[in-house]
Every structure is written in structure tokens, then in C-alpha cells.
């Protein structure tokens, strides 16, 4: 969850109003959304086309676009529990659980919340710890010790359970690497909604981390991000929505959802100079390697 500070009042209003974009041309080779928030999407934007079961409608819309698997990401205890329950009953959904870095400083008992996250991490269809990390954009100095304590705890849980770590990194590149170095990174690390430049991307690639690109890679101002994507090897690349946020151009400002992944993955194919079908196959293989089989 990484909303952009430049989002205008008009764009926020459009997103909240539920003005979903039309579906794109479906992908010929299915791919997965490595980071979505179905619960927040339904709460903030509703669902494209309506329906009695809005979550099921979002999953169905994604499948029609060639996005046949989703990773539902937790940001607090309640959303993590919700995601774990959804994944337990839905074959195309896996879950991750965590306290968002901006959530950690607000909790009266952070350690108790971390214990609840660890309990959820043991669930078989919970396949990652995240989104966790550091965010110096929204949290001031007073909240940073709690953020770092929470981040270190999530790293430890990920290693205890052998599950990937999904990192939220906003304006904190050097500190994220510092903490990972001091704790020792889990086997799999995913930089969610990668926001660094080519130099930071090269450092993450060298360490074996996966870089997950969202709709931001289509923004006109995102030249450095496109340079980062261009140097990322296909075996270390993922694609995501962060829905309902970060909707790709030309639909920026409207609600995002997993069915719009084809817009972003086509942009990634162009940026990286790779064949679209081959890139989709590589991303899917990365998902199975990092998160395990969906079924």
C-alpha cells in the first residue's frame, strides 16, 4: 500500500467514486498479481460491474483478463486475518500477513500484535510476511523506532517459517538495506512497488531480491523507475497492482484492480525489450518459486 503524494483531489475523488476503467485486452499467457488489497478495494471503490459478492467479482474480473492468481496482502492484524481466511477457501488466492510500517507506531501493544501476526504466519496458505519495512514519508522521527522494531520482528518471523518477506520501502532505501544486512535477509525478499532508481535496483538485484513493479512504471515522470525495470533480470521481476492504488496510465486516478495487470505488464515488456508472452511466463514461474503453488 503505497499511495502517491502527487495524487490530486480530483483523482482521489474518482478513485473513491468507484469509476473503474474498462477491462484491457486479456493476456494470452496467464500471470499473477503479486500484491493486491481486495478488502481495501471493496471498501474504498466497490467493484467493477457490481455483484452480490464483490470480492468474488474482483477475482473473476481478473481471471477474464488473464490474471488467474492473486496475493492478498495484509497491513494490520484484521486485514491479515481476513486475507488468511480468504486464501483458505479460495484456490486462486494466497495471503501474506503483516503490520504495515505506518501501522506499527500507532499500536498500544506492538509486541502483542506481532504475536498475532506470527500465529497467522503458520497458516499453510499464508505464504509471506508483508507488507513490512520502513516509511520515512508518512511517519516522523518519533515513530521510526517502532517501525524498525516491527520490521526486524517480521524478518525474524519470515526466517522462522521459511516464508518470503514483502517490503514496503518509501524514502528509506539505505535504511531498509541496513536492517536487512544486520538481521540477515530471508531466502526470498520482494521489494513491493519498487520505487528506487537504477543504482538501487542494481544493488537489490545483486543481493538476489525480487523487484515488483506497479502501475507507477507507466507514469510520465517515472523515467528512473523504467531504467530500474530495464536492468532487472526476468527471474527477479514481478508485477503488481497495489490495488486500489497506483492505477496505470491512461487510467491514473481511477480505482485499480487486478484485472488491470495487463496494462502494466505490457508496459514492462516494452521497457525491458522482452516478448510479452515470455515475460508473463517468467513472472508466473517467479511467483511459483517464491510463494509456492496456488493449488
Amino acid at each position: 500500500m503505497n499511495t502517491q503524494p502527487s495524487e490530486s483531489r480530483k483523482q482521489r475523488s474518482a478513485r473513491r467514486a468507484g469509476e473503474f476503467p474498462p477491462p484491457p485486452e486479456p493476456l494470452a499467457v496467464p500471470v499473477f498479481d503479486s500484491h493486491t488489497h481486495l478488502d481495501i478495494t471493496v471498501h474504498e471503490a466497490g467493484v467493477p460491474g457490481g455483484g452480490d459478492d464483490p470480492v468474488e467479482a474482483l477475482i473473476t474480473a481478473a481471471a477474464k483478463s488473464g490474471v488467474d492468481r492473486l496475493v492478498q496482502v495484509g497491513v494490520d492484524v484484521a486485514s491479515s486475518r481476513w486475507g488468511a481466511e480468504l486464501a483458505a477457501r479460495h484456490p486462486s488466492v494466497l495471503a501474506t500477513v503483516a503490520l504495515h510500517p505506518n501501522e506499527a507506531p500507532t499500536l498500544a501493544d506492538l509486541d502483542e500484535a506481532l504475536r498475532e501476526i506470527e500465529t497467522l504466519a503458520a497458516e499453510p496458505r499464508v505464504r509471506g510476511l508483508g507488507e513490512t519495512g520502513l516509511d520515512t514519508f508518512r511517519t516522523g522521527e518519533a515513530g521510526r523506532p517502532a517501525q524498525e522494531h516491527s520490521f526486524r520482528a517480521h524478518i525474524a518471523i519470515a526466517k522462522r517459517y521459511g516464508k518470503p518477506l514483502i517490503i514496503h520501502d518509501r524514502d528509506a532505501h539505505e535504511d531498509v538495506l541496513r536492517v536487512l544486512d544486520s538481521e540477515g535477509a530471508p531466502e526470498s525478499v520482494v521489494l513491493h512497488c519498487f520505487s528506487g532508481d537504477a543504482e538501487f535496483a542494481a544493488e537489490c538485484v545483486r543481493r538476489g531480491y525480487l523487484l515488483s513493479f506497479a502501475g507507477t512504471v507507466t507514469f510520465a515522470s517515472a523515467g528512473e523507475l523504467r531504467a530500474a525495470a530495464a536492468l532487472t533480470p526476468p527471474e527477479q521481476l514481478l508485477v503488481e497492482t497495489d490495488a486500489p492504488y497506483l492505477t496505470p496510465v491512461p487510467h491514473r486516478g481511477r480505482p485499480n484492480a487486478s484485472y488491470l495487470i495487463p496494462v502494466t505488464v505490457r508496459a514492462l515488456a516494452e521497457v525491458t525489450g522482452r516478448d510479452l508472452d515470455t515475460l508473463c511466463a517468467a513472472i508466473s514461474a517467479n511467483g511459483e518459486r517464491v510463494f509456492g503453488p496456488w493449488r
Side-chain angles (χ1 to χ4, degrees), residues 54-98:
V55 172
E56 190 64 39
L58 286 167
I59 295 170
T60 299
K64 288 179 179 177
S65 284
V67 184
D68 61 348
R69 290 150 293 155
L70 313 175
V71 179
Q72 164 65 24
V73 175
V75 296
D76 56 23
V77 171
S79 66
S80 295
R81 185 177 296 116
W82 185 89
E85 291 171 354
L86 174 65
R89 67 177 186 271
H90 207 293
S92 65
V93 178
L94 296 177
T96 71
V97 297

Side-chain angles (χ1 to χ4, degrees), residues 73 87 176 231 245 269:
V73 175
V176 163
L231 66 78
Y245 312 108

Side-chain angles (χ1 to χ4, degrees), residues 28-236:
V29 175
V31 75
F32 78 108
D33 184 350
S34 74
H35 192 114
T36 190
H37 303 280
L38 292 164
D39 50 339
I40 301 174
T41 302
V42 169
H43 176 72
E44 289 203 5
V47 61
D52 294 333
D53 186 336
V55 172
E56 190 64 39
L58 286 167
I59 295 170
T60 299
K64 288 179 179 177
S65 284
V67 184
D68 61 348
R69 290 150 293 155
L70 313 175
V71 179
Q72 164 65 24
V73 175
V75 296
D76 56 23
V77 171
S79 66
S80 295
R81 185 177 296 116
W82 185 89
E85 291 171 354
L86 174 65
R89 67 177 186 271
H90 207 293
S92 65
V93 178
L94 296 177
T96 71
V97 297
L99 308 176
H100 190 281
N102 291 330
E103 173 79 3
T106 72
L107 297 172
D109 192 338
L110 174 56
D111 287 332
E112 174 57 29
L114 288 166
R115 284 190 286 272
E116 294 191 54
I117 292 298
E118 178 155 12
T119 298
L120 291 168
E123 295 290 328
R125 288 187 64 80
V126 169
R127 300 290 179 80
L129 275 293
E131 59 188 282
T132 182
L134 300 172
D135 187 323
T136 65
F137 179 80
R138 295 193 183 279
T139 297
E141 288 291 341
R144 288 176 191 166
Q147 274 196 1
E148 186 163 322
H149 173 73
S150 179
F151 185 24
R152 291 178 184 274
H154 282 80
I155 293 170
I157 296 168
K159 291 196 293 186
R160 278 197 291 275
Y161 288 86
K163 296 187 177 182
L165 187 74
I166 293 80
I167 293 179
H168 171 108
D169 163 23
R170 191 161 190 190
D171 296 349
H173 303 331
E174 292 183 4
D175 283 335
V176 163
L177 296 182
R178 172 181 57 81
V179 173
L180 286 170
D181 286 348
S182 66
E183 292 292 325
E187 182 177 348
S188 293
V189 173
V190 176
L191 274 296
H192 138 66
C193 187
F194 186 80
S195 59
D197 58 12
E199 182 180 359
F200 182 59
E203 180 60 29
C204 292
V205 166
R206 184 184 69 79
R207 292 161 179 256
Y209 303 160
L210 286 92
L211 281 55
S212 183
F213 291 91
T216 43
V217 77
T218 69
F219 294 0
S221 60
E224 289 188 348
L225 191 58
R226 286 187 283 276
L231 66 78
T232 304
E235 65 272 15
Q236 289 176 256

